[in-house]
C-alpha cells in the first residue's frame, strides 16, 4: 500500500477513536484519563485526551512507557493492567493498547489511566484494621510530561543513579551497558536524544553515536523485539 494511502488510513483510525476517548472518561468518571497517541510525531504524540490523572495535554509528549513501545516497533504488544506511580506519588493503574494499520505496523496507542490511590489507601486501612498488614511492593515511578526532553532527562538520571558512578568512573563495558539500556527504553527513538544524552554525560556527540552503534552491535539478538 502506498505511503499516502497508509497515512490516510491511520488518520481515519485516529479520527474514529476521538469519541472513544471522551466516552470512556464519561463512563468511568473523574478518576479516569484516556490519552490517544500518534507515534508519527513522538515529541508531540498526544492528539486527544480526556480526564486529568497524569496532567497530559494535546500536543504533549509520550511517557517513557510510550517510548519503550515505540522502540519495540511492530513487535510491540499491549500492556494491560499495570501499576505505576506518578512523580507526585499517586498510584495509577494503566493499560496501553497499540494501534496498528492494515499492514500490522504500529503507529500509535490508546492509553487508559485510572487513579487508584484512594482505593489503595482504603485497602491498606481495612487490612490494618483486620490485622492483615500490607504488602510493601515497590511500584515503579513513571514520568508523564508534555515535554519530551524532560522525560528523556528523568530516564537518563534514573539510569545514572542505578550505575552508582559518573561517566568517567565507568569502564567500556558499563558504558555500553548504559547506552544499551537507554536504547531498549526507547530513548534514542526520540529526535535529538543522542545530542541530549551526550550533553548530559559530558561527551561529544560523535562519542555518543559511537557508543550507541557499539551497544547495538553487541546487543543480545534474543532481546531485540518487546502512562502512556
Amino acid at each position: 500500500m502506498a505511503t499516502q494511502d497508509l497515512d490516510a488510513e491511520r488518520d481515519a483510525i485516529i479520527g474514529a477513536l476521538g469519541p472513544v476517548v471522551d466516552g470512556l472518561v464519561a463512563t468511568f468518571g473523574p478518576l479516569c484519563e484516556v490519552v490517544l497517541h500518534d507515534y508519527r510525531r513522538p515529541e508531540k504524540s498526544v492528539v486527544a485526551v480526556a480526564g486529568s490523572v497524569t496532567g497530559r495535554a494535546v500536543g504533549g509528549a509520550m511517557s517513557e512507557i510510550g517510548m519503550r513501545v515505540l522502540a519495540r516497533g511492530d513487535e510491540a504488544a499491549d500492556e494491560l493492567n499495570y501499576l505505576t506511580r506518578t512523580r507526585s506519588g499517586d498510584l495509577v493503574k494503566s493499560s496501553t493498547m497499540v494501534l496498528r494499520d492494515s499492514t500490522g505496523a504500529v503507529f500509535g496507542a490508546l492509553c487508559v489511566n485510572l487513579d487508584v490511590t484512594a482505593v489503595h489507601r482504603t485497602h491498606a486501612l481495612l487490612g490494618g484494621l483486620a490485622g492483615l498488614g500490607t504488602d510493601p511492593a515497590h511500584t515503579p515511578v513513571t514520568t508523564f510530561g508534555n515535554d519530551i526532553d524532560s522525560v528523556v532527562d528523568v530516564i537518563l538520571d534514573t539510569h545514572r543513579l542505578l550505575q552508582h558512578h559518573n561517566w568517567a568512573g565507568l569502564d567500556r563495558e558499563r558504558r555500553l551497558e548504559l547506552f544499551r539500556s537507554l536504547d531498549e527504553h526507547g530513548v534514542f527513538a526520540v529526535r535529538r536524544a543522542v545530542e541530549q544524552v551526550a550533553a548530559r554525560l559530558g561527551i561529544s556527540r560523535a562519542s555518543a553515536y559511537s557508543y550507541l552503534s557499539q551497544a547495538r552491535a553487541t546487543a543480545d539478538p534474543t532481546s531485540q523485539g518487546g502512562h502512556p
Side-chain angles (χ1 to χ4, degrees):
M1 185 179 291
T3 301
Q4 185 175 2
D5 293 336
L6 277 177
D7 279 337
E9 177 187 306
R10 293 167 179 172
D11 288 341
I13 294 172
I14 292 290
L17 286 173
V20 175
V21 170
D22 293 323
L24 287 173
V25 171
T27 300
F28 291 104
L31 296 181
C32 179
E33 174 191 79
V34 181
V35 185
L36 181 61
H37 290 276
D38 185 342
Y39 289 162
R40 291 174 292 179
R41 301 185 304 167
E43 295 83 8
K44 296 182 178 181
S45 69
V46 179
V47 294
V49 60
S52 183
V53 172
T54 64
R56 316 310 298 279
V58 171
M62 65 181 67
S63 70
E64 58 215 76
I65 296 169
M67 293 169 64
R68 185 171 66 241
V69 171
L70 184 62
R72 291 172 179 169
D74 297 343
E75 299 299 320
D78 295 343
E79 297 189 25
L80 307 176
N81 288 327
Y82 56 89
L83 287 177
T84 187
R85 286 189 185 277
T86 65
R87 296 181 69 184
S88 62
D90 292 334
L91 190 65
V92 180
K93 185 174 76 168
S94 302
S95 288
T96 299
M97 294 152 284
V98 298
L99 304 180
R100 299 179 187 273
D101 59 30
S102 58
T103 70
V106 173
F107 70 93
L110 180 68
C111 303
V112 179
N113 301 311
L114 188 64
D115 187 344
V116 294
T117 306
V119 175
H120 176 72
R121 289 172 179 165
T122 301
H123 180 270
L125 174 61
L126 293 176
L129 290 174
L132 299 178
T134 58
D135 180 13
H138 296 290
T139 304
V141 174
T142 297
T143 302
F144 297 98
N146 289 313
D147 177 5
I148 194 68
D149 290 342
S150 65
V151 176
V152 173
D153 277 345
V154 170
I155 295 174
L156 182 58
D157 285 340
T158 300
H159 280 72
R160 291 184 70 186
L161 288 174
L162 291 175
Q163 295 288 345
H164 297 295
H165 288 284
N166 58 29
W167 177 255
L170 299 179
D171 58 24
R172 177 179 178 278
E173 184 53 41
R174 296 192 71 182
R175 290 180 178 185
L176 292 178
E177 180 184 346
L178 173 60
F179 269 83
R180 192 177 300 120
S181 181
L182 292 173
D183 196 25
E184 290 172 353
H185 281 76
V187 170
F188 299 114
V190 177
R191 185 168 55 90
R192 304 189 318 274
V194 172
E195 291 86 345
Q196 186 176 348
V197 170
R200 291 296 304 276
L201 294 178
I203 61 178
S204 69
R205 183 173 63 176
S207 293
Y209 275 108
S210 176
Y211 278 110
L212 177 58
S213 177
Q214 294 176 63
R216 287 175 172 173
T218 58
D220 181 357
T222 62
S223 67
Q224 300 300 307
H227 181 314

